[in-house]
């Protein structure tokens, strides 16, 4: 590299005003929503790091492809273009478009999962877990030891524990395992990558025990980028070739194209097995649509086809990884404990370590998330006891979640270096307020997925 500066590898053609609010306004907005950040209007948020799902910017080539969209009900040109790109990338025989990732999961769970089944993974994402549980099976996370230790860096903290996987596959329970699902990158574990070595070993175990291997490949390009940076054998391999090889190790995949599809909506299910694919298509017609559009407009399919060509660009992936590790370096510099190393799509703050005086049932992660918003209009999300803990009857404290994290997820190609500098400054101010932060109590909550709509109150 000739230059130290990593520049955004794009220039801006169309802009959207960034809302600038005052501290007094932000306090008013948050009180109005009973301290729930999901209630805010987008014009009340300056830097929105709530999620990287469907929030990215499309390229001018994607917008151009939208105009080319063919809205024929069956056999459209848009479908053919989408099919060709996905087929070149993944190599899978049957490609089934859906409106988003969880629709693919729902179909997979309906055709390939039976009551009492056990589904091993490095870690299941929450919608994946919910769909398998809804099918009355038991999803199990067999994350490697390094992945369980949040604060200590390791190159491939998304790997599955191969010993535990083999123990399961050779046990009496093996007949209950319909497939092994590998999530790349591992969203639940902090966006950590899985090595090609680990994927190949899973393939060998699946061959040995005659099991199907599937990928939850939402962030396949980010995973391939980390492999190119961290796995010696792949140092000189093109990112796209690494991604292609990963797909070809498995027998099929589910993908939310709202992530590495560079799309605002979209998903797919791909399977080599013709019989399963036929069942999937039959269900697709029932819930999503005809197999050549699956819940998407022709123009969406075209935008996704173009996005899937752009996503493996080395310059883009380098800018993305560097933006997040840049923010991570700032957090470390200010003494904020984070999941290390930085993941592919987000910075994860460890609020349990940061605010040891606030117990899990008083939501230290929520306290951090609210303060980031009050300080600078930055919206992240609590992924701790508020999101995953279990409320108890009779005023007992919640059953806590395993971790108390706050996720700051970066939308793709949306924010620039100065935006990240600004977030860095907000993080610095957060450390100055650390000793004054208070916990929260829930005053009203629904039974399921409470963090989206719960009403809260700061403890004094
Ligand atoms: C986002 C995501 C999903 C679900 O996709 P949706 O498009 O939100 O339905 C599944 N798995 C992983 C790893 C994800 O990140």
């Amino acid at each position: 590299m000739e230059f130290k500066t990593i520049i955004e590898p794009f220039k801006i053609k169309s802009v959207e005003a960034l809302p600038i609010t005052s501290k007094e306004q932000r306090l008013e907005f948050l009180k109005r929503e009973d301290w729930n950040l999901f209630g805010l209007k987008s014009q009340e948020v300056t830097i929105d790091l709530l999620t990287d799902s469907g929030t990215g910017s499309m390229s001018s080539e994607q917008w151009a492809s939208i105009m080319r969209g063919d809205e024929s009900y069956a056999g459209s040109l848009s479908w053919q273009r989408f099919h060709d790109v996905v087929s070149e990338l993944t190599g899978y025989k049957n490609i089934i478009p859906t409106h988003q990732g969880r629709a693919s999961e729902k179909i997979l769970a309906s055709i390939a999962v039976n009551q009492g089944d056990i589904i091993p993974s490095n870690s299941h994402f929450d919608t994946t877990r919910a769909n398998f549980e809804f099918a009355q099976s038991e999803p199990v996370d067999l994350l490697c030891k390094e992945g369980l230790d949040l604060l200590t860096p390791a190159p491939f903290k998304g790997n599955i524990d191969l010993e535990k996987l083999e123990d399961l596959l050779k046990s009496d329970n093996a007949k209950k395992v319909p497939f092994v699902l590998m999530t790349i990158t591992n969203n639940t574990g902090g966006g950590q990558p899985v090595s090609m070595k680990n994927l190949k070993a899973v393939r060998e175990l699946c061959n040995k025990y005659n099991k199907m291997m599937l990928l939850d490949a939402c962030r396949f390009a980010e995973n391939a980028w980390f492999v190119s940076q961290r796995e010696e054998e792949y140092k000189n391999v093109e990112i796209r070739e690494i991604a292609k090889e990963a797909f070809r190790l498995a027998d099929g995949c589910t993908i939310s194209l709202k992530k590495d599809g560079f799309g605002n909506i979209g998903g797919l299910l791909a399977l080599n097995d013709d019989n399963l694919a036929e069942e999937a298509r039959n269900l697709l017609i029932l819930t999503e649509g005809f197999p050549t559009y699956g819940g998407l407009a022709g123009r969406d399919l075209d935008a996704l086809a173009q996005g899937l060509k752009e996503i493996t660009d080395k310059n883009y992936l380098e800018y993305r990884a560097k933006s997040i590790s840049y923010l991570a370096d700032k957090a470390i510099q200010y003494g904020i404990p984070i999941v290390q190393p930085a993941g592919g799509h987000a910075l994860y703050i460890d609020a349990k370590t940061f605010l040891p005086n606030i117990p899990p049932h008083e939501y230290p992660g929520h306290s951090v998330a609210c303060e980031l918003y009050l300080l600078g209009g930055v919206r992240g999300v609590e992924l701790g006891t508020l999101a995953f803990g279990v409320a108890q009857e009779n005023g007992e404290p919640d059953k806590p979640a395993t971790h108390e994290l706050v996720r700051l997820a970066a939308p793709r190609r949306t924010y620039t270096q100065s935006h990240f500098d600004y977030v860095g400054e907000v993080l610095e101010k957060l450390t100055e307020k650390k000793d004054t932060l208070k916990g929260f109590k829930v005053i009203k909550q629904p039974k399921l997925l409470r963090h989206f709509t719960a009403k809260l109150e700061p403890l004094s």
Side-chain angles (χ1 to χ4, degrees), residues 146-147 152-158 192-193 230 340-341:
E146 305 88 77
T152 312
F156 291 106
K157 290 171 78 169
Q192 300 294 322
R230 297 179 187 172
Q340 289 201 57

Side-chain angles (χ1 to χ4, degrees), residues 52-53 99-103 105 125-128 183-188 216-219 254-259 266-267 345:
D52 68 323
S53 179
H99 82 278
Q100 66 181 82
R102 68 199 69 182
E105 294 159 6
F125 180 64
D126 49 16
T127 58
T128 321
T183 310
I184 60 170
T185 59
N186 184 17
N187 187 351
T188 307
D216 176 345
C218 295
R219 295 180 182 76
T254 60
I255 309 186
S256 166
L257 294 169
K258 301 173 73 171
K259 307 348 182 325
H345 65 289

Side-chain angles (χ1 to χ4, degrees), residues 75-292:
S76 71
L77 281 163
S78 300
W79 156 248
Q80 294 169 49
R81 287 188 281 259
F82 176 82
H83 181 272
D84 288 351
V85 173
V86 176
S87 168
E88 174 264 343
L89 176 66
T90 68
Y92 298 132
K93 207 168 153 203
N94 300 286
I95 291 151
I96 297 163
T98 60
H99 82 278
Q100 66 181 82
R102 68 199 69 182
S104 314
E105 294 159 6
K106 172 73 183 155
I107 293 172
L108 178 68
S110 310
I111 59 172
V113 177
N114 292 310
Q115 187 178 352
D117 279 358
I118 298 171
I119 302 166
S121 174
N122 46 347
S123 301
H124 291 272
F125 180 64
D126 49 16
T127 58
T128 321
R129 170 174 290 280
N131 270 301
F132 293 153
E133 283 176 350
F134 190 74
Q136 302 191 347
S137 68
E138 187 196 344
V140 293
D141 293 344
L142 304 178
L143 191 62
C144 66
K145 277 198 298 294
E146 305 88 77
L148 299 172
D149 175 357
L150 296 185
L151 304 181
T152 312
F156 291 106
K157 290 171 78 169
N159 284 354
I160 198 168
D161 186 321
L162 294 164
E163 246 173 71
K164 284 191 187 151
L165 179 60
E166 182 154 24
D167 284 347
L168 171 63
L169 293 179
K170 67 182 181 201
S171 74
D172 290 343
N173 277 330
K175 55 182 181 303
K176 298 183 190 164
V177 176
F179 52 81
V180 179
L181 182 71
M182 291 296 290
T183 310
I184 60 170
T185 59
N186 184 17
N187 187 351
T188 307
Q192 300 294 322
V194 178
S195 71
M196 293 298 285
K197 190 172 169 211
N198 194 251
L199 288 178
K200 285 179 198 168
V202 173
R203 174 75 267 171
E204 275 175 32
L205 287 176
C206 286
N207 287 348
K208 184 170 169 190
Y209 295 99
N210 198 23
K211 297 293 177 195
M212 196 160 61
M213 171 178 171
L214 299 177
L215 301 177
D216 176 345
C218 295
R219 295 180 182 76
F220 68 91
E222 287 165 16
N223 201 78
W225 162 260
F226 283 121
V227 166
S228 80
Q229 298 298 299
R230 297 179 187 172
E231 208 166 345
E232 194 54 43
E233 224 186 303
Y234 289 89
K235 286 236 152 84
N236 297 314
V237 184
E238 291 283 336
I239 312 278
R240 198 167 187 87
E241 293 308 313
I242 299 172
K244 282 183 176 180
E245 189 180 335
F247 280 118
R248 282 159 181 80
L249 285 169
D251 304 300
C253 70
T254 60
I255 309 186
S256 166
L257 294 169
K258 301 173 73 171
K259 307 348 182 325
D260 278 354
F262 264 148
N264 301 119
I265 196 73
L268 67 86
L269 169 64
L271 294 161
N272 280 336
D273 186 296
D274 290 332
N275 294 329
L276 269 182
E278 190 183 328
E279 280 185 62
R281 288 199 183 94
N282 290 339
L283 260 189
L284 187 84
I285 293 179
L286 206 62
T287 59
E288 293 280 293
F290 191 71
T292 64

Side-chain angles (χ1 to χ4, degrees), residues 203-427:
R203 174 75 267 171
E204 275 175 32
L205 287 176
C206 286
N207 287 348
K208 184 170 169 190
Y209 295 99
N210 198 23
K211 297 293 177 195
M212 196 160 61
M213 171 178 171
L214 299 177
L215 301 177
D216 176 345
C218 295
R219 295 180 182 76
F220 68 91
E222 287 165 16
N223 201 78
W225 162 260
F226 283 121
V227 166
S228 80
Q229 298 298 299
R230 297 179 187 172
E231 208 166 345
E232 194 54 43
E233 224 186 303
Y234 289 89
K235 286 236 152 84
N236 297 314
V237 184
E238 291 283 336
I239 312 278
R240 198 167 187 87
E241 293 308 313
I242 299 172
K244 282 183 176 180
E245 189 180 335
F247 280 118
R248 282 159 181 80
L249 285 169
D251 304 300
C253 70
T254 60
I255 309 186
S256 166
L257 294 169
K258 301 173 73 171
K259 307 348 182 325
D260 278 354
F262 264 148
N264 301 119
I265 196 73
L268 67 86
L269 169 64
L271 294 161
N272 280 336
D273 186 296
D274 290 332
N275 294 329
L276 269 182
E278 190 183 328
E279 280 185 62
R281 288 199 183 94
N282 290 339
L283 260 189
L284 187 84
I285 293 179
L286 206 62
T287 59
E288 293 280 293
F290 191 71
T292 64
Y293 73 85
L296 293 167
R299 54 180 168 271
D300 295 328
L301 290 167
D302 260 312
L304 293 167
Q306 178 60 29
L308 286 169
K309 287 186 203 161
E310 294 174 8
I311 197 74
T312 44
D313 176 53
K314 188 170 175 294
N315 296 330
Y316 155 72
L317 287 165
E318 181 170 29
Y319 139 80
R320 178 152 178 81
K322 290 276 157 74
S323 318
I324 292 160
S325 63
Y326 178 78
L327 207 52
D329 289 345
K330 299 232 166 201
I332 294 167
Q333 185 191 328
Y334 304 138
I336 301 175
I338 57 163
V339 174
Q340 289 201 57
H345 65 289
L347 178 77
Y348 289 74
I349 298 172
D350 176 2
K352 197 189 275 180
T353 309
F354 186 60
L355 301 176
N357 295 328
I358 303 182
H361 67 271
E362 291 175 8
Y363 318 118
H366 189 67
S367 177
V368 168
C370 286
E371 194 58 30
L372 290 173
Y373 177 71
L374 290 176
L375 286 168
V378 175
R379 175 159 68 171
V381 63
E382 190 260 15
L383 294 175
T385 296
L386 184 59
F388 303 127
V390 184
Q392 305 293 303
E393 307 284 317
N394 325 325
E396 291 280 306
D398 296 344
K399 194 165 160 262
T402 323
H403 303 301
E404 303 298 330
L405 298 176
V406 180
R407 185 185 70 187
L408 302 179
R412 290 168 181 75
R413 294 192 294 211
T414 302
Y415 294 121
T416 65
Q417 170 87 36
S418 76
H419 293 129
F420 288 111
D421 276 328
Y422 174 85
V423 177
E425 232 181 291
V426 172
L427 289 175

